[in-house]
Amino acid sequence: MKIRITSDSTCDLGEHVQKRDIGIMPLQVNLGENAYRDGVDIDPDFIYSHYEKTGQLPKTSAVNLVDFEEFFAKHTSEGSAVILFTISAEMSSTYNNARLAAEEFENVYVIDTRNLSTGGGLLVVSAAVMASGWVFPAAPTSMRRAPGERSWLNAEERILKGRQSPGYSFSRVACNFSPRERFSCQVL
């Protein structure tokens, strides 16, 4: 079964949307009296320009259930499973609306990224890479103790005890990242 990776527009992925074939559900952006669909009718440059001219910050509106149902129907029509990543449920009702709409579909899964923008975007791109069949290196089962470090729990223990996020462990393996070094990580 094909897995279709999707997200709301807060993931801010730019060219990676087409490169990774990621489905995007635009949130509504309100500037003054005007409403726009994020990434469709409006882009960040327009928002910044509006702010510089008026001093008004944009406001967003969550996607409603009907729009999510149509979005899910479109992406499941060919038998694909759909995974939707949303902005944090603590910041928006988008996740809850998507979750309620997903109840009408057999293979739709909604994930609360607990992030906004880049944090959620990294999760979306990682999922798109995995869905395309690329296999990530195995997560480390232990890490070497750094000089001067009193103790260094293995990665699984650190995650289970809430001292390290799974995303951090992934970035450490995929990007060859050490917290004591500068690093750069390119999206594959």
Side-chain angles (χ1 to χ4, degrees):
M1 173 181 295
K2 182 176 188 234
I3 299 173
R4 180 82 164 121
I5 302 299
T6 63
S7 178
D8 65 40
S9 58
T10 63
C11 65
D12 295 328
L13 290 175
E15 77 273 1
H16 294 290
V17 169
Q18 288 185 345
K19 181 180 178 184
R20 297 284 177 204
D21 192 30
I22 298 166
I24 298 293
M25 174 50 110
L27 268 66
Q28 182 172 305
V29 177
N30 302 307
L31 294 174
E33 300 296 317
N34 300 313
Y36 305 92
R37 290 174 298 158
D38 187 21
V40 176
D41 308 319
I42 194 169
D43 63 21
D45 290 336
F46 185 84
I47 294 170
Y48 297 135
S49 174
H50 177 82
Y51 175 74
E52 288 173 359
K53 291 177 189 171
T54 66
Q56 289 180 325
L57 291 171
K59 297 180 186 211
T60 60
S61 300
V63 179
N64 64 50
L65 268 72
V66 172
D67 288 345
F68 269 126
E69 287 172 352
E70 291 173 2
F71 182 79
F72 294 149
K74 173 185 167 188
H75 290 289
T76 59
S77 65
E78 294 177 11
S80 296
V82 173
I83 299 174
L84 173 78
F85 292 83
T86 70
I87 182 175
S88 174
E90 295 175 8
M91 297 180 200
S92 171
S93 61
T94 300
Y95 167 78
N96 196 48
N97 290 352
R99 184 186 56 76
L100 291 171
E103 290 176 359
E104 302 298 317
F105 297 85
E106 189 173 318
N107 288 318
V108 174
Y109 308 92
V110 181
I111 297 173
D112 178 1
T113 65
R114 303 197 65 171
N115 277 286
L116 170 66
S117 192
T118 306
L122 289 172
L123 295 172
V124 173
V125 169
S126 296
V129 168
M130 286 189 268
S132 71
W134 189 79
V135 178
F136 286 102
T141 56
S142 64
M143 294 182 235
R144 282 181 283 154
R145 199 169 131 197
E149 192 79 40
R150 281 193 229 145
S151 68
W152 196 259
L153 298 173
N154 74 34
E156 292 172 60
E157 288 179 271
R158 292 179 72 84
I159 292 167
L160 292 173
K161 292 182 178 182
R163 295 184 184 140
Q164 179 174 308
S165 73
Y168 174 84
S169 292
F170 165 75
S171 67
R172 205 162 148 41
V173 172
C175 303
N176 197 20
F177 165 67
S178 169
R180 290 177 169 47
E181 301 171 5
R182 293 183 176 267
F183 75 100
S184 66
C185 181
Q186 277 190 313
V187 176
L188 302 171

